[in-house]
Amino acid sequence: EKTKEVELMEPDSTESDEVLNVEFTYSVEWRENTDIPFTKRATHDKTFFPRSLEIHWLSVINSAVLVGLLMTFVAVILTRALSKDFARYAKEEEDFEDEIVEDQGWKMIHTDVFRFPSYTMMFCAVVGNGAQFLTLAFCIILMALFGMFNVHRHGSIN
């Protein structure tokens, strides 16, 4: 049973100090559902969750094409950057000795590989955590591929 009590202002009054009081009430009636036993009230409806995982082929193909394009872009950039070095290495040694050219590009920083970083402990911690995250992600993906996760019970392992 719903009741409403509303006090409204008079239409011809223009004073702004009048208060509009609105009171809303409602009532609720609880009834026991005897169709479902008490022990099965918390179970999920079987039609809600899918029986099997549906593979979205469009997203899989989209990801594969994107990876292919990115690899192509990286290969093109590397070949353009290294083509001068490849051409210089292809020359005969006599021609190469006549030209006194300093190293350029990526060869200028090749000795930096053997330098210790400024914050060695921080670097080790970040690399170690990254390795742990990659291992964890790989293991979870591997477990999902082998069907160890149950689609109907989220958070559980078969």
Side-chain angles (χ1 to χ4, degrees), residues 88-105:
R88 194 165 45 160
Y89 292 144
K91 290 183 182 179
E92 294 180 3
E93 289 186 13
E94 301 107 33
D95 296 339
F96 187 68
E97 290 175 359
D98 293 340
E99 297 177 12
I100 301 176
V101 179
E102 290 186 22
D103 289 335
Q104 47 184 309

Side-chain angles (χ1 to χ4, degrees), residues 5-11 13 18-22:
E5 295 180 18
V6 179
E7 296 178 15
L8 298 175
M9 297 184 298
E10 296 179 14
S13 68
E18 291 187 24
V19 178
L20 174 66
N21 293 325
V22 178

